[in-house]
Every structure is written in C-alpha cells, then in structure tokens.
C-alpha cells in the first residue's frame, strides 16, 4: 500500500468524492494484488488533473493514456520492467510523493557489474573531482584586485524555468496533504505540512531567522518591537516570511504564508525585485496566478551573492 499516510489520503479523498470510488475500483486489474492496486490507484487519482478531458465512466483516449502510464509505473516498481528513458522520466515525475513500502529491489546486469568495478575507480574519480572543484585562491584574489570588489552573482535568466518542474510536483504534494487535513485553515500545523511535502519531493525547506529590531527596511514603529522574523526558501526560491514572538511562532507564520500560495490553480517561479541590506536585488519568488502588486518583505538572506 502507498507509504505513510498515502492510503489515508486516498481514503479521505474518496470519502469527499464518493462518485469516484466505484469508478476507480472498476479499473483494478484482474491479476493485481491489493498492494499493487492501492499504489496504482493513488497514481491514477493524483494525476487525473493532468488530463482534464477524463470523465469518470466515459471511455476516452486521455483515460487510456493515464491507465497506460499507471501500468508502466506499476510494472517498473513491482516487476522491475524498463521502458524508454523519456517514458521512465515521465512516470517517475508523475509518481512524485508516492512511496511504496517493501517494494521489490531489482538490479540490472549493468548495475551489478558496474557496482563490482566501482571501488577502485571511485576513489580515483573522487580525487579528480576534488581537484577540479577546489577553488583557486590566486584567481579569486586577482579578480578582486582588478575589479575592486568580490564577485557578485544573481539568479541566472533561466533559473525560473529550471525550478518550475520541482514546484509543480510540490504543488501536487501540498494539494493532497491539504485534502487529507480537511483543507487550508488557521488551525493546521502549517510548518509540519509544508516540511513533509518538501521532503516527499526529495528536497529540504530552509529557515532563516533575524531579530525583528535588526531589519533596517521595516517601518520605524515596527523595528522597536521584540520578536523574530523567519524567511523560508527551497532550492533558493523564496516562499514566505513570518513574524512572531519567537522562532517557532515566526516559522509557523512564514509557513502559513507560503501555503497560501498553493491555494490557486498553479504556482509559478518568477524573477522579482526585493530589498536586501538597503538595496534592490533580483530574487527567485514562488507566486500563484492572482494579480497583485509586486511588494515583498525585505529579504533576510540572498543566496546569489558571495559577500553577504
């Protein structure tokens, strides 16, 4: 069965959408075990939104395609089948957030042979990698001397597009988590929900804390107050800021603000201007589709610059 609360999430979703329960159960294969079917059922339900032309109970090419992709994924997980790499990439992306307990572990002949040869070469490769990536002090000092200041970098023009696939997967994980929690609301454990969703997508949620009085870009009336400010990021993308009497409260409020972005139909990574240490900088920001003025809290950290 799908791992963790996967089965509970599916049950909760079907209880809220009873018209889907009989239909989806009719899709179970004759030879599928309950374990295989529960995992594939979650795959189907999670990805129905990708195929908006699917109507339960009505045959269609979209439904055939989704069922075929679900079988490809299930065959790979439970039977060790391999398919062309573009197909494998597609189904593994669609399966983000689904974990299967005690799935069979299989290795190809090339993997077995490669593993047997690896120890001797890996040490050599490791030494070479260290030498290649070790910073050259003389080059850095020469650059500082010639320019008068350390190297400053910003997010690359293509960074939003590079990060978008990950946040599309995170959007789906958050949507399912909120369904299991009964929807977005003030009484949720906002940080726990956001953190668990990020970790299910194989990433880490980072928190930065600064005393409220130490932030120069806040209005004077606020800088006199005691408390903490928390900024949340994932993959260098800014997600939300929160204020509180202590770090735990500030982080919870930042998580609540971040989860609000996931209430729309989609999320988008964009390059935006933010204040950082008294000046405007380019930053990557996670946004929903709602039109709004581009006014953000001052940045507590800026991951695209060396001389912070």
């Amino acid at each position: 069965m799908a791992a963790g609360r996967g089965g509970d999430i599916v049950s909760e979703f079907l209880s809220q959408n009873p018209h889907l329960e009989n239909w989806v159960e009719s899709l179970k294969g004759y030879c599928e075990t309950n374990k295989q079917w529960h995992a594939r059922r979650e795959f189907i339900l999670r990805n129905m939104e990708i195929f908006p032309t699917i109507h339960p109970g009505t045959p269609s090419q979209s439904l055939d395609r989704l069922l075929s992709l679900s079988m490809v994924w299930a065959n790979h997980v439970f039977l060790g089948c391999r398919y062309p790499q573009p197909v494998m990439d597609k189904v593994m992306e669609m399966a983000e957030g689904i974990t299967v307990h005690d799935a069979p572990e299989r290795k190809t002949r090339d993997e077995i042979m490669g593993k047997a040869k690896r120890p001797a070469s890996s040490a050599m490769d490791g030494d070479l990698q260290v030498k290649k990536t070790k910073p050259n002090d003389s080059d850095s000092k020469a650059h500082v001397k010639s320019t008068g200041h350390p190297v400053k970098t910003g997010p690359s023009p293509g960074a939003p597009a590079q990060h978008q696939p990950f946040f599309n997967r995170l959007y789906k994980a958050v949507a399912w988590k909120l369904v299991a929690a009964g929807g977005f609301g003030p009484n949720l454990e906002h940080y726990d929900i956001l953190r668990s969703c990020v970790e299910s997508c194989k990433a880490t949620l980072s928190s930065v804390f600064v005393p409220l009085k130490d932030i120069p870009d806040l209005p004077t009336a606020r800088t006199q107050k005691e408390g903490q400010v928390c900024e949340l990021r994932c993959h260098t993308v800014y997600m939300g800021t929160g204020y509180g009497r202590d770090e735990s409260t500030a982080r919870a409020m930042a998580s609540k603000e971040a989860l609000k972005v996931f209430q729309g139909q989609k999320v988008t990574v964009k390059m935006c201007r933010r204040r950082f240490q008294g000046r405007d900088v380019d930053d990557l920001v996670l946004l929903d589709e709602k039109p709004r003025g581009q006014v953000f809290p001052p940045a507590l950290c800026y991951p695209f610059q060396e001389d912070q």
Side-chain angles (χ1 to χ4, degrees), residues 191 206-210 215 228-233 238 240-244 246-255 300:
Y191 174 68
S206 62
S207 308
V208 177
F209 299 93
V210 173
I215 300 179
Q228 293 287 324
V229 187
C230 174
E231 177 174 297
L232 296 178
R233 287 182 179 268
Y238 167 75
T241 297
Y243 306 86
D246 52 34
E247 291 186 354
S248 177
T249 306
R251 186 172 60 187
M253 294 304 296
S255 302
L300 305 188

Side-chain angles (χ1 to χ4, degrees), residues 171 262-267 289:
Y171 173 85
F262 292 87
Q263 299 306 296
Q265 297 298 315
K266 63 179 181 179
V267 293
E289 77 278 14

Side-chain angles (χ1 to χ4, degrees), residues 29 61 63 138 221 291:
Q61 290 184 347
L63 177 59
S138 61

Side-chain angles (χ1 to χ4, degrees), residues 37-49:
W37 166 239
H38 289 155
R40 191 167 71 89
R41 180 182 63 175
E42 185 173 352
F43 183 100
I44 293 169
L45 292 173
R46 279 178 178 266
N47 289 285
M48 281 182 62
E49 63 185 28

Side-chain angles (χ1 to χ4, degrees), residues 143-155:
H143 185 83
V144 172
K145 185 176 181 180
S146 64
T147 61
H149 55 77
V151 179
K152 294 182 180 180
T153 60

Side-chain angles (χ1 to χ4, degrees), residues 1-265:
M1 191 169 183
R5 285 180 49 83
D8 295 338
I9 291 175
V10 171
S11 298
E12 178 69 20
F13 177 77
L14 290 176
S15 69
Q16 296 180 19
N17 299 271
H19 63 286
L20 293 178
E21 186 166 8
N22 290 335
W23 169 75
V24 75
E25 289 299 327
S26 71
L27 304 177
K28 179 180 179 182
Y30 180 75
C31 296
E32 278 185 293
T33 65
N34 286 337
K35 181 177 182 178
Q36 294 169 353
W37 166 239
H38 289 155
R40 191 167 71 89
R41 180 182 63 175
E42 185 173 352
F43 183 100
I44 293 169
L45 292 173
R46 279 178 178 266
N47 289 285
M48 281 182 62
E49 63 185 28
I50 301 177
F51 301 90
T53 57
I54 291 180
H55 300 287
T58 304
S60 67
Q61 290 184 347
S62 296
L63 177 59
D64 291 342
R65 177 167 172 75
L66 175 57
L67 295 180
S68 297
L69 291 169
S70 72
M71 288 302 301
V72 166
W73 175 73
N75 288 345
H76 168 67
V77 171
F78 294 103
L79 303 179
C81 299
R82 299 289 299 179
Y83 299 87
Q85 195 58 46
V87 178
M88 293 298 301
D89 292 341
K90 176 68 174 177
V91 298
M92 297 311 291
E93 178 182 344
M94 294 172 70
E96 283 286 348
I98 304 176
T99 310
V100 180
H101 281 313
D102 302 323
E105 184 176 346
R106 296 180 174 83
K107 293 182 174 62
T108 64
R109 176 185 177 278
D110 290 341
E111 288 172 337
I112 295 172
M113 297 301 292
K115 188 174 182 179
K117 296 177 181 179
R118 189 170 184 80
S121 61
S122 62
M124 185 181 298
D125 292 343
D127 290 341
L128 291 174
Q129 185 67 18
V130 169
K131 292 178 181 178
K132 288 179 181 178
T133 58
K134 186 176 180 180
N136 189 321
D137 268 351
S138 61
D139 289 347
S140 300
K141 291 177 182 177
H143 185 83
V144 172
K145 185 176 181 180
S146 64
T147 61
H149 55 77
V151 179
K152 294 182 180 180
T153 60
S156 66
Q162 293 170 2
H163 289 296
Q164 190 62 50
F166 168 80
F167 284 96
N168 290 342
R169 298 194 297 273
L170 181 59
Y171 173 85
K172 292 170 61 177
V174 170
W176 274 84
K177 197 74 171 180
L178 291 178
V179 166
F184 182 82
N187 298 321
L188 295 178
E189 295 292 338
H190 299 96
Y191 174 68
D192 290 342
I193 288 177
L194 185 60
R195 177 185 53 79
S196 65
C197 290
V198 168
E199 291 178 354
S200 74
C201 293
K202 309 297 188 293
T204 303
L205 186 65
S206 62
S207 308
V208 177
F209 299 93
V210 173
L212 183 61
K213 58 185 176 60
D214 291 346
I215 300 179
D217 295 320
L218 289 177
T220 304
R222 296 201 67 168
T223 57
Q224 304 305 316
K225 295 182 178 181
E226 294 298 324
Q228 293 287 324
V229 187
C230 174
E231 177 174 297
L232 296 178
R233 287 182 179 268
C234 183
H235 285 317
T236 73
V237 176
Y238 167 75
M239 299 180 69
T241 297
Y243 306 86
R245 63 182 181 276
D246 52 34
E247 291 186 354
S248 177
T249 306
R251 186 172 60 187
M253 294 304 296
S255 302
K256 182 179 179 180
E257 291 302 309
L259 285 177
K260 287 180 180 178
V261 179
F262 292 87
Q263 299 306 296
Q265 297 298 315

